[in-house]
Amino acid sequence: MALAIGAAGMAASAWAQAVDPDQTYTVPIYVTGSHSPANYQIYVSQNADGSDAVPYLFDTGSPNMFTVQGTNTSIAPTNTFVFGDGDPVYGYYVEGRSLSLTTKASVQVTPVVSNFNTAMVVQINGNTVASSTPLADGTYGDFGAGLYGTSTLSTLLTALPIGSNARLGYVVNVAGISSGEGALTIGLTQQTIDTLTNSPGAIQLHMNHSGDQIQGPDGRLITGYLKGVAVTTVTVQTAEGVASADLATVFDTGGGPNGVIYYGNSSTPPGVFDGYLPNGSFSLTSPDGETFDSWVGSSPWGGSVAVIGNQAPSENRVNSGGYLFENYVVMYDLESAVLTLVPVPEPSTWTLLAVAVLLVVPAVIRRKSRG
């Protein structure tokens, strides 16, 4: 199956020529309240008119879109992909698809990006997966919103055309929502950047470039970032006392309830985290000493501390857990390489944030009929 290299933005390019200079998009994120890895869902259509959209796990810890929708199970997988500790193993082939983001009611919010390379999942752990049938979590796959893909297989978010006055980046806002509807803002206006950056308690982290190129708007390539998009200090309780290490940190909407440390080239928790207490304490601290994630006994979603070995030293990292996004509005500014965490605001500042981020009217795309 030939890859659709370089063609990802062809349809989007035509749209960009007519787009408003300040164009951004606000797409619903549906919070299921299940406190599981599939807690956050986003709807994607593979039709030119945006119809028949289905839910996907909105996953900032994954680099691209994996789908069972419209797959051809007679095609053998050409590659595999795993998350976390390596189970399950997804077998897929790559195909160019026409994709747009919508509401739950299939109202189209973004333009269609044609021929966008998508991982078509046909096997899980070697077993054939039925086409266009929901997976066990009720989704049709994984909508990767991570920034560590490749030039031929990466996130749709960076391929969508934005206005010339907007900056590359996006805001994930499900803060304070245990179930219901949040928002994903694609493209950053200066007002959004200023409002979030200057919000009370905002924490800024430098984002780590990967050195790789990923698909950008209008078919061009942009700089990607590592899976561990920033470095923080993780501190846990062990049988020998408190242990800390500076680790690349994955801010992962699909991370589930646990605080997970992937560490060391060993089958058991090695070195500094040896003897960690699953029901002990866990915290993440910025390089400036600001603690933004801290709990004792169990996480906000009832999870625990986990340390997983067998990691190459270059892959040492910590996963924040999906619950972090219920406590923070998270902004990824790809042009300044800054990740901003804004805590759930007090009522006095909520209105200001709403104006800048929450109440942006989605730009609904209406296809013009041909006369």
Side-chain angles (χ1 to χ4, degrees):
M1 182 65 63
L3 297 183
I5 299 174
M10 292 179 63
S13 181
W15 167 266
Q17 294 175 9
V19 77
D20 185 281
D22 297 315
Q23 179 69 65
T24 62
Y25 311 97
T26 299
V27 182
I29 296 176
Y30 299 97
V31 183
T32 66
S34 65
H35 292 177
S36 71
N39 195 63
Y40 307 114
Q41 296 182 3
I42 191 169
Y43 277 69
V44 184
S45 170
Q46 293 192 34
N47 292 315
D49 61 358
S51 64
D52 297 328
V54 295
Y56 287 81
L57 165 62
F58 177 71
D59 191 356
T60 56
S62 175
N64 53 269
M65 184 168 166
F66 291 81
T67 183
V68 296
Q69 188 183 20
T71 56
N72 184 345
T73 56
S74 67
I75 299 177
T78 57
N79 211 332
T80 59
F81 186 83
V82 297
F83 294 98
D85 59 1
D87 183 43
V89 178
Y90 297 88
Y92 67 90
Y93 64 91
V94 177
E95 183 172 283
R97 310 293 286 182
S98 294
L99 304 177
S100 62
L101 300 178
T102 78
T103 68
K104 186 181 290 188
S106 295
V107 176
Q108 192 174 345
V109 180
T110 71
V112 174
V113 178
S114 297
N115 215 18
F116 186 80
N117 289 336
T118 305
M120 312 295 285
V121 175
V122 289
Q123 291 183 0
I124 297 180
N125 287 339
N127 299 313
T128 299
V129 180
S131 177
S132 299
T133 300
L135 299 172
D137 63 6
T139 73
Y140 285 74
D142 188 296
F143 182 87
L147 305 168
Y148 61 101
T150 68
S151 60
T152 58
L153 200 59
S154 53
T155 178
L156 178 68
L157 294 187
T158 55
L160 289 163
I162 58 176
S164 58
N165 292 340
R167 288 169 61 165
L168 281 169
Y170 55 92
V171 179
V172 179
N173 186 2
V174 291
I177 302 172
S178 58
S179 63
E181 185 176 320
L184 167 68
T185 300
I186 304 165
L188 304 176
T189 65
Q190 193 60 52
Q191 181 186 13
T192 297
I193 294 169
D194 291 344
T195 299
L196 293 178
T197 300
N198 297 317
S199 294
I203 297 171
Q204 292 193 303
L205 299 170
H206 174 72
M207 294 171 60
N208 300 319
H209 286 124
S210 65
D212 296 326
Q213 299 285 291
I214 61 176
Q215 297 171 72
D218 310 320
R220 59 189 171 90
L221 299 178
I222 62 173
T223 300
Y225 293 84
L226 296 176
K227 180 172 184 174
V229 71
V231 173
T232 68
T233 301
V234 57
T235 302
V236 300
Q237 185 179 355
T238 76
E240 301 299 322
V242 174
S244 296
D246 295 338
L247 293 179
T249 304
V250 186
F251 294 85
D252 186 4
T253 52
N258 299 322
V260 184
I261 301 168
Y262 299 93
Y263 197 81
N265 195 14
S266 170
S267 60
T268 59
V272 66
F273 298 117
D274 190 23
Y276 78 97
L277 303 180
N279 294 317
S281 60
F282 179 90
S283 69
L284 296 175
T285 306
S286 76
D288 292 331
E290 301 164 295
T291 298
F292 57 88
D293 188 11
S294 180
W295 42 267
V296 177
S298 64
S299 76
W301 285 1
S304 62
V305 180
V307 178
I308 298 176
N310 276 331
Q311 303 297 304
S314 62
E315 296 176 348
N316 288 349
R317 65 189 187 276
V318 58
N319 191 308
S320 67
Y323 54 84
L324 180 137
F325 285 81
E326 286 193 357
N327 298 323
Y328 292 91
V329 176
V330 182
M331 176 172 66
Y332 300 79
D333 186 339
L334 305 190
E335 296 190 27
S336 66
V338 172
L339 183 148
T340 301
L341 301 171
V342 180
V344 175
E346 298 296 328
S348 60
T349 60
W350 183 258
T351 300
L352 184 61
L353 278 176
V355 170
V357 181
L358 302 179
L359 299 183
V360 178
V361 178
V364 178
I365 312 305
R366 295 183 175 88
R367 290 174 56 84
K368 295 182 179 179
S369 60
R370 296 185 178 181

